[in-house]
Amino acid sequence: MVDAQDQISDEQVKERVEELLAQLTTAEKAGQLTQYFYFGAPGEAMADGTPAQGAIVESALSRGEVGSLLFVTDPAESNRLQRLTVEGHRLGIPALFGFDVIHGLRTILPVPIALAASWDPATIERGQAVAAREARAVGIHWSFAPMVDIARDPRWGRIIEGAGEDPFLGAAVAAAQVRGFQGPALGTADRVIAGPKHFAGYGYALGGRDYDESNISDAELWNVVFPPFQAAIDAGARNVMTAYMDLNGVPAAGNRWLFTEILRDTFGFTGFVVSDANAVRDLHTHGFAADPTDAGVRAVTVGVDMEMAIVDPAYAHLPEAVESGAVALEALDTSVRRILEAKIRLGLLDDPYVDEERARTVLADPEHRKVARTAAERSAVLLRNEGGLLPLDPTALGSVALIGPMADSKRDTLGPWVFDFDLEETVTVLEGLQHKLGDSVAVGYAPGVRPGQRSFPSLFDMFPGNAPEDPEDFDDEAEQLRAVELARAADVAVVVVGEWQNMIGENSSRSSLDLPAGQLELLQAVVATGTPVVLVVLNGRPLDLRWATEHVPAILDLWYPGSQGGTAAANLLVGDVSPGGKLPFTWPRTVGQVPMIYSHTVSHDPQKQGQRYWDEASTPLFPFGHGLAYSTFAYANLSVDRDTVGPEETVTVSVQVTNSGEREADEVVQLYLHQRYGTASRPIRELKGFSRVTLAAGESRTLTFPVGPEHRRYWNAAVRDFVLDPSTFDVWVGGDSTAELGTTFEVRPA
């Protein structure tokens, strides 16, 4: 492993790459461009005589025809397979090991949408640095993260992996994650390759249905979809993953415009591109390529450097395609150079193995759990707190009723997209409250309803314990009655609701945002007891909480908070920590409103924007950027340093923020911009600056934000290019996207 301070020079890398490349056969080159899943040691052959998947992979390793493996997390197994790779290759070239380190490996962080809700790049960077350290310790060199797809339809399950609806916030989160995973340079000790995905437009699937096509205008691509990818690349990301779906009629993995003209020529990306799982072969499935050989030719030609395959990779046919003249050898060489460069910069050619004893020490590091707990605390969003019900005062409580099956579910506390976790060290909400309140407050627990089940299983339900068990002896009526009676006898009821973790993520789109499995009926029955109710939500997308906002005084969005989620929940509920997170998406009232975004254009009849539907207000339940604290904040003295500037000049906006309450708390100060007129209609407001600050009770602070040409420039569909319009610009600063404190400045013509 190479320290950032002792990086190998570009010239040294190039010389070594060319030396190796000159010795590789065409089959070995195709092997360097092939990545296999590895699902375990070779076993018995399939019923039809087909070798087991592990046997196929190990046979390819022995021939020197594998460039990368994924899904290996045991350091001893990593070393075994790496030895097979090195010894099976004439030149001893090792494999890259990749894995879905989405929000932690052993120490699980809050899910990515929750990290985005922290609006705190420093917290995000620290969290992903922990994930990278654990991953590198067990032999993983490369994370298939961050996912930087903008998602504006919460029916899409993978909204949980991104940063929500806004490109400015999404770009900041993407850059922070890349810095956390990869460090200042590729090869930094204890870091891994960052792989932003899915390029591009995956989050726009029709109807929110995972894998379905995306049809996106050029203006939407340039102004909304591309900025987080550009930010990730600017932060140094050395890998990019393709998307599965058709983008405007062309499969993303076969789209030369995306990977050559945009990614490399425009964004300046110099790393390597990997397909998503089987996405190269899927070019044939899409009806785009004639057969798997043609699929491989098309993908490598447009710039997909590595194919992620389960078995029978399309890139295995590249040697015959070179022989027939269907693809130029130089296309393979270009991609092989990029793979070899990554291996050299990571130091793998000199030190391909991991220290198995050190891996155990790293995975057990208690400092990692502290980072996870802090991230969970800073990600939580207080949606509602009527009458100041929160924080709870333990000295005034004799008993607490904790209700809901996920309140004591370790697996659901972690959330989806984790595979190497340790349930024994996972803290549930029940365990967190019991530990926090001790013997002084009685904490009673009742699930109330049985775990919810999917109509169609998740593709991840193959992993043991991923799908919630449906207990055979569960008496629905009796268990709800027990929960209600527990609440009736308590001083306060904490009801935990949401989606079970296998209901969201990949292959987990929904046609509804309702609370599943009778949870709304349970909540209604508990509220009917008259006991004060706090609602805690475990989720990765907005759910239908209309009834709750009318009848439940306090609602805390905990998301899926990770390994230390229960400890964080207890600290938040009793006020040891004040919630400071903000929503990274607009929270609709009902699924019939989606997609709903704050940054829409003014359009016709803006006075009736909230009356577009005749049966219900077309306004959000909670606006983008919303989040309360255990204090209040006042904004004043908003000003700009200049009233008029030229197109390429910058205005500095200043605002005074005061903690007007009685407790220390965090506020995320948000700046929004609107261009009144120009060569296109512009959104009513767009986020262009934010800063999370901690203020003591009564403390005031003046914050400044630059508003430069980079904040005002946009891609214009009329002129087919980026423009900077002279115009009057409105500026608002406040605690969410409905901020009212505003001012203006003018941008004069050039």
Side-chain angles (χ1 to χ4, degrees):
M1 204 179 301
V2 183
D3 281 327
Q5 296 82 8
D6 190 30
Q7 289 290 304
I8 184 171
S9 72
D10 291 344
E11 188 60 34
Q12 289 173 312
V13 171
K14 182 178 179 180
E15 288 178 3
R16 199 163 186 186
V17 165
E18 295 303 323
E19 179 185 350
L20 290 169
L21 185 66
Q23 301 176 69
L24 291 174
T25 67
T26 305
E28 289 169 339
K29 290 175 181 178
Q32 286 300 301
L33 307 185
T34 301
Q35 178 183 64
Y36 281 100
F37 280 84
Y38 186 78
F39 292 130
E44 294 183 3
M46 308 295 285
D48 63 358
T50 303
Q53 195 265 353
I56 293 173
V57 175
E58 294 200 14
S59 176
L61 289 175
S62 70
R63 300 191 303 272
E65 295 178 3
V66 178
S68 177
L69 291 174
L70 68 113
F71 234 78
V72 181
T73 60
D74 178 80
E77 183 69 346
S78 171
N79 279 338
R80 183 184 77 84
L81 291 168
Q82 191 69 285
R83 288 190 184 91
L84 287 177
T85 306
V86 172
E87 293 169 4
H89 199 288
R90 292 184 306 113
L91 306 178
I93 299 176
L96 280 173
F97 284 76
F99 197 69
D100 283 289
V101 188
I102 307 301
H103 57 111
L105 184 73
R106 182 65 50 80
T107 304
I108 307 304
L109 303 162
V111 291
I113 195 73
L115 291 173
S118 74
W119 293 58
D120 185 358
T123 290
I124 295 168
E125 184 174 342
R126 280 193 296 271
Q128 297 298 29
V130 164
R133 183 170 185 250
E134 292 185 353
R136 194 67 192 267
V138 303
I140 296 166
H141 313 118
W142 166 19
S143 171
F144 304 131
M147 192 198 86
V148 302
D149 296 306
I150 294 295
R152 295 183 160 187
D153 189 335
R155 292 174 296 182
W156 189 55
R158 299 192 79 166
I159 186 175
I160 194 172
E161 292 180 61
E165 73 180 55
D166 186 77
F168 188 88
L169 177 62
V173 171
Q177 292 202 70
V178 169
R179 292 193 301 269
F181 281 127
Q182 199 171 282
L186 187 61
T188 300
D190 291 332
R191 303 298 177 99
V192 298
I193 300 171
K197 61 186 184 184
H198 308 81
F199 199 64
Y202 186 33
Y204 280 66
L206 286 179
R209 296 182 296 272
D210 209 2
Y211 313 140
D212 277 7
E213 66 193 87
S214 296
N215 298 299
I216 311 173
S217 72
D218 284 352
E220 191 88 348
L221 283 170
W222 286 106
N223 293 323
V224 179
V225 174
F226 287 160
F229 284 99
Q230 178 74 78
I233 292 163
D234 290 346
R238 300 293 294 191
N239 171 251
V240 167
M241 183 184 289
T242 73
Y244 278 122
M245 76 302 141
D246 285 350
L247 174 64
N248 297 332
V250 180
N255 194 321
R256 183 184 184 281
W257 177 76
L258 276 179
F259 293 103
T260 299
E261 295 183 33
I262 303 303
L263 187 64
R264 296 199 183 277
D265 295 348
T266 303
F267 294 170
F269 179 65
T270 60
F272 67 98
V273 172
V274 68
S275 79
D276 208 336
N278 278 354
V280 172
R281 289 187 64 88
D282 279 352
L283 294 178
H284 176 50
T285 304
H286 280 277
F288 181 72
D291 51 41
T293 299
D294 185 36
V297 169
R298 287 176 180 246
V300 77
T301 300
V302 304
V304 179
D305 301 304
M306 179 176 282
E307 177 189 10
M308 184 190 297
I310 297 176
V311 292
D312 193 17
Y315 278 10
H317 301 283
L318 287 176
E320 63 192 68
V322 170
E323 183 69 23
S324 70
V327 65
L329 182 61
E330 180 56 32
L332 274 67
D333 288 350
T334 297
S335 291
V336 172
R337 286 186 180 96
R338 294 166 182 158
I339 306 304
L340 293 177
E341 178 182 346
K343 293 179 179 182
I344 292 167
R345 290 193 183 279
L346 284 169
L348 296 184
L349 269 67
D350 301 313
D351 185 13
Y353 306 112
V354 295
D355 183 334
E356 296 172 28
E357 184 59 38
R358 180 177 182 272
R360 286 186 280 272
T361 301
V362 169
L363 294 179
D365 191 338
E367 291 301 314
H368 294 184
R369 281 59 171 177
K370 293 179 183 178
V371 171
R373 188 203 71 232
T374 299
E377 292 168 349
R378 295 180 72 79
S379 297
V381 179
L382 183 61
L383 296 173
R384 179 175 166 86
N385 195 23
E386 297 300 307
L389 178 57
L390 289 177
L392 302 175
D393 181 359
T395 65
L397 295 175
S399 61
V400 174
L402 185 61
I403 295 168
M406 284 183 284
D408 195 33
S409 170
K410 292 179 181 290
R411 184 65 191 86
D412 292 298
T413 300
L414 296 177
W417 272 117
V418 290
F419 304 98
D420 198 45
F421 50 83
D422 183 355
L423 285 182
E424 290 300 315
E425 69 174 33
T426 302
V427 183
T428 66
V429 176
L430 174 61
E431 292 169 336
L433 272 179
Q434 288 174 330
H435 183 266
K436 174 65 64 174
L437 298 177
D439 297 331
S440 61
V441 180
V443 179
Y445 169 66
V449 296
R450 67 176 65 234
Q453 303 296 324
R454 293 173 49 131
S455 298
F456 303 104
S458 163
L459 64 86
F460 298 110
D461 286 349
M462 72 178 78
F463 297 100
N466 204 60
E469 294 184 8
D470 190 6
E472 294 181 3
D473 58 350
F474 194 93
D475 186 324
D476 296 85
E477 184 176 347
E479 287 296 334
Q480 178 166 317
L481 180 61
R482 186 166 73 89
V484 169
E485 291 307 313
L486 185 68
R488 194 187 312 277
D491 294 322
V492 66
V494 177
V495 182
V496 179
V497 301
E499 289 183 296
W500 281 261
Q501 62 81 28
N502 73 328
M503 294 180 175
I504 191 165
E506 184 172 358
N507 194 222
S508 295
S509 298
R510 282 191 72 190
S511 63
S512 165
L513 299 179
D514 295 344
L515 291 172
Q519 293 179 98
L520 177 57
E521 292 77 8
L522 174 64
L523 175 63
Q524 290 170 333
V526 170
V527 169
T529 65
T531 298
V533 173
V534 175
L535 187 65
V536 174
V537 187
L538 298 186
N539 63 315
R541 60 175 141 217
L543 299 170
D544 190 336
L545 297 183
R546 287 175 292 174
W547 189 90
T549 59
E550 296 174 0
H551 299 91
V552 179
I555 305 175
L556 179 67
D557 196 338
L558 195 60
W559 313 100
Y560 301 96
S563 298
Q564 291 294 306
T567 303
N571 289 342
L572 290 157
L573 289 170
V574 304
D576 288 354
V577 176
S578 175
K582 301 279 187 173
L583 291 178
F585 50 63
T586 301
W587 194 303
R589 297 175 183 274
T590 174
V591 72
Q593 292 181 316
V594 303
M596 171 175 276
I597 58 172
Y598 82 93
S599 55
H600 56 82
T601 58
V602 176
S603 193
H604 176 68
D605 202 4
Q607 291 75 22
K608 293 184 178 180
Q609 181 67 39
Q611 302 172 34
R612 301 298 195 217
Y613 302 116
W614 64 261
D615 59 333
E616 186 168 12
S618 50
T619 55
L621 193 64
F622 301 107
F624 175 84
H626 170 74
L628 307 175
Y630 294 154
S631 191
T632 55
F633 299 92
Y635 289 79
N637 301 326
L638 179 64
S639 65
V640 293
D641 65 337
R642 289 184 288 175
D643 294 329
T644 304
V645 295
E648 297 292 341
E649 295 178 328
T650 296
V651 167
T652 298
V653 179
S654 300
V655 67
Q656 184 184 66
V657 186
T658 301
N659 181 342
S660 52
E662 299 178 353
R663 303 172 59 99
E664 179 181 276
D666 281 14
E667 172 69 329
V668 179
V669 181
Q670 303 162 44
L671 181 146
Y672 293 88
L673 193 66
H674 168 61
Q675 177 179 311
R676 289 189 183 178
Y677 54 85
T679 53
S681 296
R682 302 298 296 134
I684 60 168
R685 56 179 67 187
E686 294 179 290
L687 180 72
K688 294 298 180 181
F690 66 88
S691 179
R692 181 164 177 160
V693 295
T694 302
L695 297 175
E699 181 183 358
S700 295
R701 190 176 305 174
T702 297
L703 301 180
T704 60
F705 298 92
V707 179
E710 69 274 21
H711 300 104
R712 305 190 305 270
R713 182 179 290 111
Y714 68 96
W715 198 90
N716 186 302
V719 302
R720 311 292 300 169
D721 202 351
F722 284 94
V723 300
L724 274 170
D725 290 330
S727 184
T728 299
F729 285 83
D730 298 303
V731 181
W732 296 273
V733 178
D736 62 37
S737 58
T738 67
E740 296 181 352
L741 182 63
T743 187
T744 64
F745 65 90
E746 300 282 337
V747 175
R748 62 179 178 267

